[in-house]
Amino acid sequence: EECMEREAIEKGHSTSAMAANFAAACGAKRLVLSHFSARYSAGHAAAPAEAGTPEPVLQDPAEKLGQEARKILGDDVPVTVAKDFMVLRGDRDFAPEPQLAMKRLPWHRSSVDISARSEER
């Protein structure tokens, strides 16, 4: 843990524990963890299967960081583990939206959209 903290500081980052301690010290109402190391964001890892469950449960590896932060903050401060395209709205106390912000990314246009724009010119 100390080695990871030193490495994070050298890179101008924080560990989940450092972020949680800072959130507690400044009286934050919510902690959102984002910008994860590749070791936590590369795909999904299989968690051990629960008793009576035939298959392992897929869990986002970054969720481990959320669990670490929750141990420090307890139930007082909600911890959100950010995901790609997650929307956090200020008018909803920054609670995550249940669905992704976009169905289709703006740079992924169909060839029909592109040819229609060309014909308009």
Side-chain angles (χ1 to χ4, degrees), residues 9-110:
I9 292 169
E10 288 172 3
K11 293 181 178 183
H13 293 197
S14 301
T15 65
S16 57
M18 291 167 65
N21 285 321
F22 181 74
C26 69
K29 293 180 181 177
R30 175 178 297 277
L31 173 62
V32 178
L33 299 173
S34 65
H35 192 67
F36 308 110
S37 165
R39 74 183 79 126
Y40 296 105
S41 59
H44 292 293
E50 296 177 21
T53 306
E55 297 180 22
V57 177
L58 291 179
Q59 183 180 20
D60 183 343
E63 188 55 40
K64 177 184 177 193
L65 302 174
Q67 292 168 353
E68 291 173 0
R70 288 181 195 101
K71 283 182 187 176
I72 294 167
L73 293 170
D75 295 331
D76 297 334
V77 178
V79 175
T80 300
V81 178
K83 298 182 180 12
D84 289 343
F85 306 110
M86 179 179 271
V87 174
L88 302 171
R89 291 181 44 175
D91 63 337
R92 295 191 182 163
D93 196 29
F94 296 97
E97 287 288 312
Q99 297 179 345
L100 295 178
M102 296 180 269
K103 298 282 185 197
R104 190 174 89 182
L105 301 176
W107 55 85
H108 288 146
R109 294 187 215 143
S110 70

